[in-house]
Amino acid sequence: MIKRFQSHQGLTAMYRRTRKRLKRSDIDGYRIEKYDFGYRYIPKTASSSLKRLLYEIECGKQFENMFLPNGRFISVHNWVRKHRRESISSSKVRMIIIRDPIKRVLSAYADKVGRKKIISEAKVGERWPHLMGRLPPFDPSLSIFIKHLDDYSQISSIRHHTMPLISFLNGKNLRFFTDVFKIEDLPLAVQKIQQITGSKLEVGRENASGRKVSVADLTEEDIDRLIRYYADDYALLKGYYSPQDIK
């Protein structure tokens, strides 16, 4: 649901926080000081759903997308960046949700290319006009998208949602976190949040990617390209996910 917010001052006053300057060695995320809890959100790992859950636990109501009087659109991601994003390095509980790298990029393709048409000629011309004439084909097939992933990553939304996991961890590995959950075990992560906060709220399903794209849609060449592209992630995720599981 989207509403037009007539006065953003009340929301801002209620949830205003002093952003602490991040050290170069810090990992930032959604921090709730009251519970000494930090969550490092990663695109395409149920982050929209978990941000909405944490917002509802804190604020006692569901988050609603809104427009400010100046026309600016505010999503839960905007709200978290402004009001809750800070270092989680000193948090007692440091949580992350992980996902197989190839399945993560497939989810990004289904959502950004298939559902939202981010790489359509119309969208690129409207939002990234400087890239007109500099990209491979618009509306790429899955194989074309994978083959030219670096080129399509000139589009900020594609880059953000397909960046390797290691790009978000500031040189750290998974030992930094006290709680690591595979996306397949998301209910266990929610149970942990419930234990910490005393809440009985459940996670909703946000940002569904429309038509599913699966590993079965990949050619052997696609798989080999992606394994090479996410080699560092697979090394980081050893013990959780393996390229052999894809093949």
Side-chain angles (χ1 to χ4, degrees), residues 7-203:
S7 174
H8 195 53
Q9 293 180 348
L11 182 102
T12 302
M14 185 178 297
Y15 303 119
R16 188 186 301 276
R17 297 170 72 89
T18 302
R19 281 284 306 281
K20 298 177 181 178
R21 186 178 297 276
L22 292 174
K23 299 177 182 177
R24 290 187 178 182
S25 59
D26 281 347
I27 290 181
D28 66 291
Y30 191 130
R31 173 164 164 76
I32 306 179
E33 188 172 351
K34 177 181 178 180
Y35 301 114
D36 205 4
F37 171 83
Y39 160 56
R40 173 62 257 194
Y41 41 85
I42 305 296
K44 311 313 296 179
T45 59
S47 62
S48 298
S49 298
L50 286 176
K51 287 175 183 177
R52 286 178 174 274
L53 173 65
L54 294 171
Y55 175 94
E56 188 172 357
I57 288 172
E58 281 199 277
C59 304
K61 60 181 181 180
Q62 292 184 350
F63 184 88
E64 295 183 17
N65 295 330
M66 65 190 77
F67 284 100
L68 299 185
N70 64 6
R72 184 186 173 200
F73 177 71
I74 301 295
S75 69
V76 69
H77 305 294
N78 301 129
W79 188 90
V80 169
R81 277 194 296 268
K82 182 173 178 61
H83 300 284
R84 288 296 180 273
R85 182 186 174 207
E86 58 183 74
S87 172
I88 66 170
S89 295
S90 63
S91 298
K92 181 179 180 180
V93 178
R94 300 180 298 280
M95 179 182 291
I96 189 170
I97 311 297
I98 57 174
R99 187 175 192 174
D100 178 89
I102 290 179
K103 291 182 179 179
R104 188 173 150 249
V105 76
L106 292 179
S107 177
Y109 174 84
D111 181 38
K112 301 303 174 185
V113 182
R115 185 167 75 94
K116 296 181 178 176
K117 308 297 183 185
I118 290 294
I119 312 182
S120 67
E121 184 173 5
K123 280 285 180 68
V124 173
E126 175 189 351
R127 299 180 58 181
W128 302 281
H130 63 288
L131 294 179
M132 295 296 285
R134 296 173 52 188
L135 292 173
F138 295 114
D139 300 310
S141 67
L142 180 57
S143 288
I144 292 295
F145 178 76
I146 292 168
K147 183 176 181 179
H148 298 285
L149 185 53
D150 278 333
D151 294 316
Y152 288 122
S153 292
Q154 295 177 85
I155 298 173
S156 57
S157 181
I158 298 297
R159 179 172 63 253
H160 179 68
H161 287 86
T162 62
M163 284 169 54
L165 171 61
I166 59 169
S167 303
F168 295 93
L169 300 187
N170 211 4
K172 301 288 197 303
N173 58 36
L174 294 183
R175 289 193 297 273
F176 168 85
F177 298 94
T178 61
D179 295 88
V180 178
F181 294 96
K182 298 170 67 172
I183 195 169
E184 294 84 0
D185 297 325
L186 185 61
L188 297 179
V190 174
Q191 287 178 20
K192 178 71 175 185
I193 292 172
Q194 291 171 336
Q195 292 169 5
I196 294 168
T197 64
S199 170
K200 297 185 182 300
L201 291 172
E202 296 286 346
V203 71

Side-chain angles (χ1 to χ4, degrees), residues 204-217:
R205 187 132 183 264
E206 300 294 331
N207 225 18
S209 299
R211 187 186 80 81
K212 296 300 180 185
V213 179
S214 72
V215 174
D217 295 308

